[in-house]
mmCIF file of all heavy atoms in Angstrom:
data_model
loop_
_atom_site.group_PDB
_atom_site.id
_atom_site.type_symbol
_atom_site.label_atom_id
_atom_site.label_comp_id
_atom_site.label_asym_id
_atom_site.label_seq_id
_atom_site.Cartn_x
_atom_site.Cartn_y
_atom_site.Cartn_z
ATOM 1 N N VAL A 98 8.909 -4.375 -1.202
ATOM 2 C CA VAL A 98 8.679 -4.381 0.242
ATOM 3 C C VAL A 98 9.899 -4.946 0.966
ATOM 4 O O VAL A 98 10.526 -5.911 0.503
ATOM 5 C CB VAL A 98 7.427 -5.218 0.589
ATOM 6 C CG1 VAL A 98 7.344 -5.506 2.068
ATOM 7 C CG2 VAL A 98 6.168 -4.499 0.127
ATOM 8 N N LEU A 99 10.221 -4.360 2.111
ATOM 9 C CA LEU A 99 11.250 -4.899 2.991
ATOM 10 C C LEU A 99 10.631 -6.072 3.746
ATOM 11 O O LEU A 99 9.784 -5.887 4.626
ATOM 12 C CB LEU A 99 11.719 -3.800 3.952
ATOM 13 C CG LEU A 99 12.964 -4.069 4.794
ATOM 14 C CD1 LEU A 99 14.161 -4.390 3.912
ATOM 15 C CD2 LEU A 99 13.267 -2.859 5.672
ATOM 16 N N LEU A 100 11.044 -7.286 3.411
ATOM 17 C CA LEU A 100 10.322 -8.484 3.828
ATOM 18 C C LEU A 100 10.582 -8.913 5.268
ATOM 19 O O LEU A 100 9.933 -9.831 5.759
ATOM 20 C CB LEU A 100 10.659 -9.644 2.885
ATOM 21 C CG LEU A 100 10.269 -9.439 1.416
ATOM 22 C CD1 LEU A 100 10.804 -10.585 0.570
ATOM 23 C CD2 LEU A 100 8.763 -9.334 1.270
ATOM 24 N N THR A 101 11.535 -8.283 5.953
ATOM 25 C CA THR A 101 11.855 -8.693 7.320
ATOM 26 C C THR A 101 11.301 -7.726 8.365
ATOM 27 O O THR A 101 11.633 -7.853 9.542
ATOM 28 C CB THR A 101 13.376 -8.805 7.502
ATOM 29 O OG1 THR A 101 13.981 -7.561 7.155
ATOM 30 C CG2 THR A 101 13.943 -9.911 6.633
ATOM 31 N N LYS A 102 10.467 -6.784 7.941
ATOM 32 C CA LYS A 102 9.877 -5.813 8.860
ATOM 33 C C LYS A 102 8.354 -5.916 8.826
ATOM 34 O O LYS A 102 7.773 -6.490 7.910
ATOM 35 C CB LYS A 102 10.318 -4.389 8.497
ATOM 36 C CG LYS A 102 11.823 -4.144 8.615
ATOM 37 C CD LYS A 102 12.298 -4.240 10.059
ATOM 38 C CE LYS A 102 13.796 -3.969 10.163
ATOM 39 N NZ LYS A 102 14.279 -4.089 11.561
ATOM 40 N N GLU A 103 7.729 -5.339 9.836
ATOM 41 C CA GLU A 103 6.270 -5.364 9.900
ATOM 42 C C GLU A 103 5.669 -4.725 8.657
ATOM 43 O O GLU A 103 6.197 -3.758 8.118
ATOM 44 C CB GLU A 103 5.789 -4.609 11.145
ATOM 45 C CG GLU A 103 6.183 -5.262 12.460
ATOM 46 C CD GLU A 103 5.779 -4.433 13.657
ATOM 47 O OE1 GLU A 103 4.599 -4.040 13.734
ATOM 48 O OE2 GLU A 103 6.649 -4.145 14.499
ATOM 49 N N ILE A 104 4.560 -5.298 8.228
ATOM 50 C CA ILE A 104 3.840 -4.774 7.079
ATOM 51 C C ILE A 104 2.539 -4.138 7.563
ATOM 52 O O ILE A 104 1.904 -4.639 8.493
ATOM 53 C CB ILE A 104 3.562 -5.897 6.047
ATOM 54 C CG1 ILE A 104 3.028 -5.325 4.747
ATOM 55 C CG2 ILE A 104 2.620 -6.937 6.613
ATOM 56 C CD1 ILE A 104 4.077 -4.726 3.872
ATOM 57 N N GLU A 105 2.166 -3.016 6.973
ATOM 58 C CA GLU A 105 0.906 -2.360 7.300
ATOM 59 C C GLU A 105 0.099 -2.188 6.025
ATOM 60 O O GLU A 105 0.653 -2.204 4.914
ATOM 61 C CB GLU A 105 1.151 -1.014 7.990
ATOM 62 C CG GLU A 105 1.816 -1.170 9.350
ATOM 63 C CD GLU A 105 1.865 0.140 10.151
ATOM 64 O OE1 GLU A 105 1.282 1.153 9.695
ATOM 65 O OE2 GLU A 105 2.493 0.143 11.230
ATOM 66 N N ILE A 106 -1.198 -2.007 6.168
ATOM 67 C CA ILE A 106 -2.074 -1.925 5.012
ATOM 68 C C ILE A 106 -1.673 -0.775 4.097
ATOM 69 O O ILE A 106 -1.783 -0.874 2.871
ATOM 70 C CB ILE A 106 -3.563 -1.793 5.446
ATOM 71 C CG1 ILE A 106 -4.491 -1.878 4.239
ATOM 72 C CG2 ILE A 106 -3.787 -0.530 6.232
ATOM 73 C CD1 ILE A 106 -4.428 -3.203 3.492
ATOM 74 N N SER A 107 -1.156 0.318 4.669
ATOM 75 C CA SER A 107 -0.796 1.477 3.852
ATOM 76 C C SER A 107 0.357 1.152 2.908
ATOM 77 O O SER A 107 0.224 1.301 1.683
ATOM 78 C CB SER A 107 -0.419 2.659 4.756
ATOM 79 O OG SER A 107 0.599 2.280 5.673
ATOM 80 N N ASP A 108 1.504 0.697 3.435
ATOM 81 C CA ASP A 108 2.630 0.433 2.546
ATOM 82 C C ASP A 108 2.390 -0.793 1.667
ATOM 83 O O ASP A 108 2.933 -0.892 0.566
ATOM 84 C CB ASP A 108 3.952 0.310 3.316
ATOM 85 C CG ASP A 108 3.912 -0.645 4.487
ATOM 86 O OD1 ASP A 108 3.019 -0.506 5.330
ATOM 87 O OD2 ASP A 108 4.788 -1.513 4.576
ATOM 88 N N PHE A 109 1.533 -1.726 2.125
ATOM 89 C CA PHE A 109 1.220 -2.879 1.293
ATOM 90 C C PHE A 109 0.431 -2.459 0.060
ATOM 91 O O PHE A 109 0.779 -2.805 -1.073
ATOM 92 C CB PHE A 109 0.437 -3.914 2.099
ATOM 93 C CG PHE A 109 0.144 -5.183 1.329
ATOM 94 C CD1 PHE A 109 1.112 -6.158 1.196
ATOM 95 C CD2 PHE A 109 -1.096 -5.389 0.752
ATOM 96 C CE1 PHE A 109 0.858 -7.328 0.481
ATOM 97 C CE2 PHE A 109 -1.369 -6.543 0.032
ATOM 98 C CZ PHE A 109 -0.390 -7.517 -0.102
ATOM 99 N N LEU A 110 -0.636 -1.685 0.244
ATOM 100 C CA LEU A 110 -1.458 -1.267 -0.894
ATOM 101 C C LEU A 110 -0.701 -0.317 -1.811
ATOM 102 O O LEU A 110 -0.881 -0.349 -3.030
ATOM 103 C CB LEU A 110 -2.754 -0.616 -0.406
ATOM 104 C CG LEU A 110 -3.859 -1.566 0.043
ATOM 105 C CD1 LEU A 110 -5.088 -0.777 0.485
ATOM 106 C CD2 LEU A 110 -4.233 -2.532 -1.078
ATOM 107 N N VAL A 111 0.143 0.517 -1.228
ATOM 108 C CA VAL A 111 0.980 1.403 -2.050
ATOM 109 C C VAL A 111 1.874 0.559 -2.963
ATOM 110 O O VAL A 111 2.035 0.862 -4.153
ATOM 111 C CB VAL A 111 1.823 2.336 -1.155
ATOM 112 C CG1 VAL A 111 2.980 2.957 -1.937
ATOM 113 C CG2 VAL A 111 0.944 3.428 -0.569
ATOM 114 N N SER A 112 2.452 -0.515 -2.413
ATOM 115 C CA SER A 112 3.310 -1.389 -3.214
ATOM 116 C C SER A 112 2.514 -2.097 -4.306
ATOM 117 O O SER A 112 2.994 -2.258 -5.435
ATOM 118 C CB SER A 112 4.002 -2.416 -2.311
ATOM 119 O OG SER A 112 4.831 -1.762 -1.360
#
Side-chain angles (χ1 to χ4, degrees):
V98 167
L99 191 58
L100 298 173
T101 56
K102 297 294 181 181
E103 294 176 51
I104 190 78
E105 295 189 6
I106 187 62
S107 54
D108 51 308
F109 184 80
L110 281 181
V111 163
S112 298

